[in-house]
Amino acid sequence: MSLNTSRFQIKRFVLALLLATSLGTAGFAADTKVVQTDSANRANLNQRIDQMSSQAIAFLQTRGQSDEGAFSGQTGAAVTGLCVRAILEHRPSAVTTDPVVKNALKFLESKVQPDGGIYEVGSKYRNYETSAAVLALVAANEAHAANDASHRPYESTLRRAEIFLKEIQWDAGEGVSPADTAYGGAGYGSHSRPDLSNTSFLIEALHELGNGPDDEAIQKALMFVARTQNLKPPADAKAVNDTKYADKIGDGGFYYTPAAGGESKAGESATGGLRSYGSMTYAGLKSMIYAGLTPDDPRVEAALGFIRENYSLETNPGVGAQGLYYYYHTFAKALDVAGLEVVDAAGGQTHDWRRELVDKLESTQQEDGSWVNRESERWMEGDRQLVTAYCLLALAHAKE
């Protein structure tokens, strides 16, 4: 379980009821297969995760870090932030015992800018870098506080980063009204256009900073997230897809952005719709839960419907091998946050997603402890530091 899962996890029985209704089953008791995992099997799964994570952390400790403390320093604070968070998910004590983590935290501190953001000077990726750094610094604060509740050395830095993230969100400050498809979103920070990937990082960072579903910035972000879902606007919902793409496909999945004319990395349908794909759908589901949508909300039901129809650990549904490890990371986070133990997929198959994910990552871990996407380097998945961080984060959410 991740550091903060307990704060926002939806009750298991509620989502079991959701599965029984929204995923097309006739009734929970009659049609939902419940996977019973005894304590011995659970311990075995966690032991396998611990073994993989130890090898992966050893890789980052010995082969991944530059002399200045950075992981993939060409990305500014981004990959370093994700690597630190990934290590601390498995070893909170490393914040004080591991020189690699301490040096990486110093590197992140060196990227704090006068405006409160945490990024490389001149970066076009300010939102991404700052959000990733926030995830690392929140975990570091919690790890320190576990030994001394009053010791949270990054509190001031985090509060300034929160202000910065809210300031660069696309809203009235950028001259954007709620009617604009860019409203509420976050982009890389270059102000070219917002997208769902960056917006999901923003929402997660704000959530980790203690902002609840009623936070104004999170509710603005929900408006953007809703516009990335292939779903005809449900009645009485305030945040909906009111763009021309809303009902062209209607499968409940999510695409990259509705802004600046719209784009899906999975391409367009014959009717001009923006195709849904896996990683964005899990990012969308996670974001909606953080924004307070309930299990019976038609937008959540539709997202889970897409997941049921397109469940896979072989590909990133819709884009194949592209972004596969980013997909594993969003897959695990979203299902864990949603409180789902199993997924009843199309065709009557019941998937123990945690075990299946562990099986997959176990089979693809390299001899040096890292992971790398050997089928597609798109979106930096030829970078072992980044991909290893994705896998460590996924494994933290798969732990029982």
Side-chain angles (χ1 to χ4, degrees):
M1 199 70 68
S2 69
L3 287 170
N4 291 287
T5 296
S6 61
R7 293 210 303 258
F8 48 75
Q9 191 172 48
I10 293 176
K11 297 292 186 181
R12 305 260 189 244
F13 75 89
V14 176
L15 276 158
L17 177 61
L18 182 149
L19 282 173
T21 55
S22 70
L23 299 192
T25 57
F28 179 75
D31 297 301
T32 300
K33 299 176 183 177
V34 180
V35 177
Q36 299 282 345
T37 306
D38 60 30
S39 58
N41 286 338
R42 238 183 342 260
N44 174 260
L45 185 72
N46 289 343
Q47 184 178 35
R48 291 165 63 195
I49 291 172
D50 289 341
Q51 182 175 353
M52 278 190 281
S53 63
S54 291
Q55 294 171 348
I57 291 171
F59 166 78
L60 292 176
Q61 289 172 323
T62 58
R63 298 182 61 182
Q65 191 175 38
S66 71
D67 291 341
E68 62 179 351
F71 293 97
S72 302
Q74 72 275 15
T75 66
V79 175
T80 301
L82 293 176
C83 286
V84 169
R85 176 66 184 227
I87 293 171
L88 293 179
E89 287 277 7
H90 295 272
R91 293 184 186 171
S93 63
V95 76
T96 56
T97 63
D98 188 344
V100 169
V101 171
K102 290 194 282 187
N103 287 338
L105 287 167
K106 289 179 181 177
F107 175 79
L108 292 177
E109 288 183 278
S110 76
K111 299 304 173 186
V112 175
Q113 302 301 328
D115 60 10
I118 307 171
Y119 57 85
E120 186 68 57
V121 173
S123 173
K124 294 182 179 180
Y125 310 105
R126 295 178 299 156
N127 175 79
Y128 176 45
E129 290 186 55
T130 302
S131 294
V134 162
L135 298 181
L137 297 180
V138 166
N141 252 5
E142 291 192 3
H144 279 295
N147 297 319
D148 179 356
S150 65
H151 186 46
R152 294 179 176 272
Y154 304 107
E155 197 65 25
S156 175
T157 298
L158 287 168
R159 290 310 130 200
R160 292 176 62 222
E162 178 181 353
I163 294 169
F164 171 79
L165 287 171
K166 290 180 177 181
E167 284 181 346
I168 65 171
Q169 184 180 23
W170 285 66
D171 56 16
E174 286 66 43
V176 176
S177 75
D180 195 297
T181 55
Y183 187 82
Y188 280 109
S190 60
H191 279 272
S192 53
R193 67 171 178 187
D195 61 77
L196 179 54
S197 180
N198 271 286
T199 304
S200 71
F201 268 110
L202 168 69
I203 292 173
E204 184 170 0
L206 293 178
H207 171 84
E208 290 282 307
L209 287 163
N211 294 278
D214 292 333
D215 177 74
E216 183 180 7
I218 289 180
Q219 285 303 305
K220 288 177 184 177
L222 176 61
M223 293 182 67
F224 181 84
V225 171
R227 284 174 168 146
T228 67
Q229 187 174 23
N230 275 313
L231 181 67
K232 183 178 180 179
D236 302 324
K238 293 181 179 179
V240 298
N241 191 345
D242 55 6
T243 74
K244 64 182 181 180
Y245 305 111
D247 57 359
K248 287 185 180 292
I249 293 177
D251 59 9
F254 289 73
Y255 47 84
Y256 190 62
T257 183
E263 181 188 2
S264 170
K265 302 300 184 181
E268 296 186 9
S269 68
T271 60
L274 299 177
R275 296 186 188 278
S276 306
Y277 57 107
S279 51
M280 287 303 96
T281 298
Y282 285 101
L285 173 63
K286 171 172 65 74
S287 297
M288 290 191 300
I289 293 171
Y290 284 157
L293 298 197
T294 56
D296 59 350
D297 190 289
R299 293 162 290 183
V300 175
E301 291 179 349
L304 285 169
F306 178 90
I307 288 169
R308 176 180 185 269
E309 292 295 325
N310 296 278
Y311 180 91
S312 177
L313 284 168
E314 299 304 314
T315 67
N316 181 357
V319 292
Q322 298 175 77
L324 184 59
Y325 288 85
Y326 174 86
Y327 167 70
Y328 292 150
H329 150 254
T330 58
F331 168 98
K333 275 188 176 179
L335 294 179
D336 188 27
V337 168
L340 288 166
E341 295 297 339
V342 299
V343 175
D344 282 354
Q349 291 183 306
T350 298
H351 295 276
D352 180 350
W353 67 266
R354 298 175 191 274
R355 191 165 299 277
E356 291 175 13
L357 177 62
V358 168
D359 289 344
K360 172 56 68 175
L361 294 183
E362 201 170 49
S363 72
T364 57
Q365 189 171 25
Q366 305 298 301
E367 289 187 5
D368 63 5
S370 70
W371 283 271
V372 65
N373 190 335
R374 293 193 175 277
E375 296 183 60
S376 174
E377 293 189 355
R378 193 178 186 190
W379 302 318
M380 289 189 61
E381 292 210 348
D383 183 323
R384 289 174 184 259
Q385 286 75 45
L386 175 61
V387 176
T388 299
Y390 285 156
C391 291
L392 281 168
L393 291 167
L395 288 170
H397 286 273
K399 205 162 190 178
E400 294 183 314

